[in-house]
Amino acid sequence: MNTADIVRPDIRQMKAYAVTDVPAGFLKLDAMESPYDYPEDMRKALGEHLTQVPIRLYPNPSTCRLLHTLRETYAIPAEAEVVLGNGSDELIERLTMLVSKPGAKVLAPAPSFVMYRVNAEFFGLEFIGVPLREDFTMDLDAMLAAVKEHQPALVFIAYPNNPTGGRFAREKVQAIIDAAPGIVVVDEAYGAFSSDSFLGDAGKIPNLVVLRTLSKIGFAGLRIGYASSTPEIIGELKKIIPPYNMNQLSLAAAEFALQYPQFINENINKLKGERERMRTALHAYAAVRDFASEANFLTLRVPDAKALFDKLYENKILIKNLHGTHPLLEQCVRITIGTPEQNQQVLSVLAEMYA
Ligand SMILES: Cc1ncc(COP(=O)(O)O)c(C=O)c1O
C-alpha cells in the first residue's frame, strides 16, 4: 500500500502538533497548567479512591456522577444539558464536525485558540479569522460585518481569549450571539480566572454553547472538558461523540477533585493575585508592554521575543514565543502564571534584560 494514494492530500501536507519535550529540571510555563500539586495526604486519598474504580467496566459518560457534581459546583442552569469531552479539545472537534456540511464556514476573532482553525481545516470548512484591534480588544463592527457576509455555521469566542489573555466586552459577545445565524461557542477554558461568564445563560439562549475545562485549574492531565447548551444542541452532539470517550480513572479522579473545592479555589485566587503582582512589576520596564489578562497567563510585547525566550530557556524556564504566529503578535510572548517563587524567577530574568 502507498499511503500517498490513500491518505487525504491535505492531511499529508499537515504537520502533527508537536507537544514540547520539556528537558528535566525545567520550569514549564508554556501551556497554562496549574503549578500546584496535591499535598501528600490528598495524593494518598486520591490513590485510595482510585483503587475502588471498576476499570474492567466501560464508563457511562452520560450518567456518571461527575456530570451532577459539575452541575452543582458550577451552578449550570437546569435548562442546560451537559456533555463531557476528553478535554474541551474533543468538544471543539465534535462541534465542528456537527456543522460540517459542504460550504459551511467557521468564524473566530484572530488571533485566538489555534484549534478552531485546525478543526475547521480537518473538516474541509472555510475558516474566517477576524483580526482583533491592535490592543487585542474585539473589533465588533468587523465581527458583525463578517458574520453578515459569511453567515458562519459556527463561531468560536474564547472568553477570556488565548493567546492574548484579555476578556472581550460581554456586550460585544452578546451582540455576536444575537447576530449569528448558527451556533456560537463561548469557550471559557480560562473562565475560572475571569470576572465574567456565560455559563449562567447556557440552555437559555438557543444558539449558545458554553465550553469549560478542568485543565487550567489543576487537572490538565485528566482531560476533562464539558459543554453546556440546549437539550437540542447537546442531543445532536451526543450522536457523534464516541459512547466511551471518557475513561473511568479520569472520571473518578475529577469527581474526587471536585470534593475539595477549597484546594481549587485557593489556588485560583493565588494565581489571580500573582497575575496582578506580575503585571504591576512589569510596569517598571518601559521596554515591556503588558496586556490586561483575565486568564492564568500574561501576554507581553518585548523588543525581541526570541531573545527573551532564549534567555529564559538558558535559565531553564520554558515559555511560549508567539512571534510569527499572527501579525498582531509581533514580538509577543505568553507566560503562564506560576507559584510566587516561580514568577520571581521569571521577573529576575526580565529585570536582567529590561531594567
Ligand atoms: C481557549 C482554549 N480552549 C480550549 C483549550 C483546550 O483545553 P483542554 O482540551 O485541555 O480542555 C485550550 C487549551 O489551551 C484553550 O486555550
Side-chain angles (χ1 to χ4, degrees), residues 1 59 77 88 115 117-118 126 130 147 160 191 220 229 270-271 275 283 296 301 303 306 337-338 341:
M1 186 202 71
S88 45
M115 294 312 285
R117 173 190 291 277
V118 169
E126 186 181 340
V130 182
V147 165
S229 182
K270 279 190 257 182
L271 292 170
R275 175 184 74 202
H283 288 332
N296 62 338
R301 177 167 291 122
K306 180 161 187 314
I337 306 294
E341 300 71 33

Side-chain angles (χ1 to χ4, degrees), residues 13 22 26 68 74 80 82 90 133 172 195 220 250 290 310:
Q13 297 293 317
V22 188
F26 261 63
H68 305 284
Y74 297 111
V82 184
E90 184 184 39
R133 295 208 194 98
K172 292 186 181 178
S195 61
S250 281
D290 64 292
D310 289 346

